[in-house]
Amino acid sequence: MKSARMAQSACTVRLTNAHENSNLRRWDDPTPTVEHPRGHTSRRTVITAPSLLVTSGPPDGSLQIWQLAAEDTDVIKSVSTIPAGNDSKKPWAKIATIFARAPCVLHGSRVNNLQVTEIESKKTIYAAASRSSDEISGLAFLDCHTLLACCVKGQLCLADVRQPQSPLGDASIPLALGGEQWCMGVLPGCGANAPTVARLSSGGQLMLTDLRNIPTPLKSAKCKVSAASPRAEFLCVSWAPALDGHLAVSGFHGTIDIYDTQGWPVSGVEAEPLFSHKGHLFSGTEGGGDFPLVTAHVWHPWKPRTLLSAASDGSLHVWDWAEPHKNSS
């Protein structure tokens, strides 16, 4: 598939549609993002409707709209652009989508330029009124009215699109960790359970937060990493959608580590991974002999122990895992 080969060199892909053909599979549940950059370029892609895609990436914060051709061809053509605004120096936009009557995208690079835009009409249906210029590391829709942003400094910002006012930040990052950079992964709420957010720092700290009580973490732990992440923009933490309490961590080296958070105490634990996928370490070394760095990973939406991962050498893996003691019994 020509377009798929082109995308592998510098692409972040989130598949969100119930559709399938011989070349491209789209799942009906939004999945986390697989980022596949090489060199110094990266791009994020979101499928927002049966035939539309949205991408963001260098050199600025603008979004590009693409049209998928009919199922018997692999052509993807550019159809329009959502401008970045007047600040051409701002970082490239983070993006998130949700299924709605009119497909829309949440995008922005800083708290004060967050907005929700309808894809086809380009109408702005929400714009943050915040004065904060903190850079954003991740975005998510919690439901059709509520959005969540994670800042690079670790603060969480909640907003209701029906009330265009300043998002609310928190003060739950300890001062000792204030110099680190953070990303987030969101476990959607179910029934009476509120969404749970996992925040991962460039130093390997993990904090789990119930959004009903943001200032007080549910649990915190130190991941077993040998050194801080060399490229904080590649930090990635994601919850398993079909395996209670399990999450995956990457961005520190050439592995993806699986953790079970259910047995963690409130704080103070150095967590041991249940499993480490080391396949990217054997994919080859980059120029200069360095091992590849995992750039991102994603869980399969319904196969509990299946993940996809990408690394800086261009490798893309689909793999299963099992706890060693269960595998040998």
Side-chain angles (χ1 to χ4, degrees):
M1 176 177 168
K2 186 181 298 183
S3 59
R5 289 196 297 271
M6 292 171 59
Q8 282 182 6
S9 63
C11 185
T12 297
V13 179
R14 181 176 296 143
L15 305 179
T16 60
N17 256 346
H19 227 67
E20 180 176 343
N21 61 39
S22 59
N23 294 322
L24 178 64
R25 182 168 182 172
R26 313 172 203 171
W27 292 305
D28 60 354
D29 196 39
T31 67
T33 301
V34 172
E35 191 165 320
H36 210 292
R38 297 189 69 160
H40 302 286
T41 305
S42 61
R43 185 172 295 275
R44 294 187 172 181
T45 305
V46 176
I47 298 178
T48 63
S51 61
L52 290 178
L53 296 89
V54 182
T55 63
S56 70
D60 56 33
S62 63
L63 307 184
Q64 300 78 40
I65 314 299
W66 306 80
Q67 182 82 42
L68 292 175
E71 293 187 358
D72 57 352
T73 178
D74 60 4
V75 174
I76 302 175
K77 65 178 181 178
S78 175
V79 292
S80 62
T81 300
I82 298 175
N86 297 325
D87 185 3
S88 61
K89 296 182 179 180
K90 62 187 176 185
W92 56 281
K94 306 302 185 293
I95 52 180
T97 60
I98 188 171
F99 282 115
R101 183 172 301 174
C104 57
V105 58
L106 166 64
H107 58 104
S109 57
R110 301 185 184 277
V111 175
N112 58 7
N113 63 33
L114 273 180
Q115 64 184 68
V116 179
T117 305
E118 288 186 355
I119 300 298
E120 295 176 306
S121 69
K122 300 187 181 64
K123 176 184 176 182
T124 299
I125 59 177
Y126 170 83
S130 175
R131 295 181 180 179
S132 172
S133 61
D134 285 347
E135 187 175 347
I136 291 169
S137 63
L139 295 172
F141 276 103
L142 302 180
D143 56 42
C144 60
H145 300 301
T146 312
L147 60 86
L148 177 69
C150 179
C151 298
V152 168
K153 295 179 181 179
Q155 300 95 332
L156 295 177
C157 300
L158 274 170
D160 189 322
V161 299
R162 296 165 296 184
Q163 302 174 2
Q165 57 188 10
S166 176
L168 303 176
D170 74 23
S172 62
I173 302 299
L175 291 177
L177 304 177
E180 299 183 7
Q181 298 186 54
W182 296 76
C183 70
M184 74 168 179
V186 180
L187 179 66
C190 182
N193 297 323
T196 303
V197 178
R199 278 174 286 179
L200 174 67
S201 80
S202 55
Q205 291 289 333
L206 260 174
M207 299 179 65
L208 310 184
T209 302
D210 185 325
L211 289 179
R212 293 170 296 190
N213 187 14
I214 291 179
T216 304
L218 293 171
K219 298 178 180 180
S220 63
K222 178 73 166 62
C223 295
K224 191 173 183 179
V225 296
S226 56
S229 172
R231 298 282 298 274
E233 67 268 31
F234 294 148
L235 286 174
C236 185
V237 57
S238 64
W239 290 97
L243 204 59
D244 288 346
H246 289 67
L247 52 75
V249 165
S250 65
F252 296 92
H253 33 57
T255 68
I256 303 93
D257 297 325
I258 310 295
Y259 292 91
D260 181 0
T261 68
Q262 295 176 102
W264 289 1
V266 173
S267 63
V269 64
E270 182 174 55
E272 290 281 342
L274 291 177
F275 180 87
S276 294
H277 175 69
K278 301 179 180 180
H280 292 285
L281 295 176
F282 305 104
S283 298
T285 57
E286 297 177 326
D290 293 332
F291 285 109
L293 174 66
V294 172
T295 56
H297 65 265
V298 59
W299 292 83
H300 193 284
W302 63 79
K303 294 183 178 180
R305 297 175 183 270
T306 300
L307 293 91
L308 294 84
S309 56
S312 55
D313 64 345
S315 57
L316 180 64
H317 292 183
V318 181
W319 47 278
D320 294 314
W321 68 278
E323 294 179 54
H325 67 279
K326 292 184 178 180
N327 194 39
S328 59
S329 59

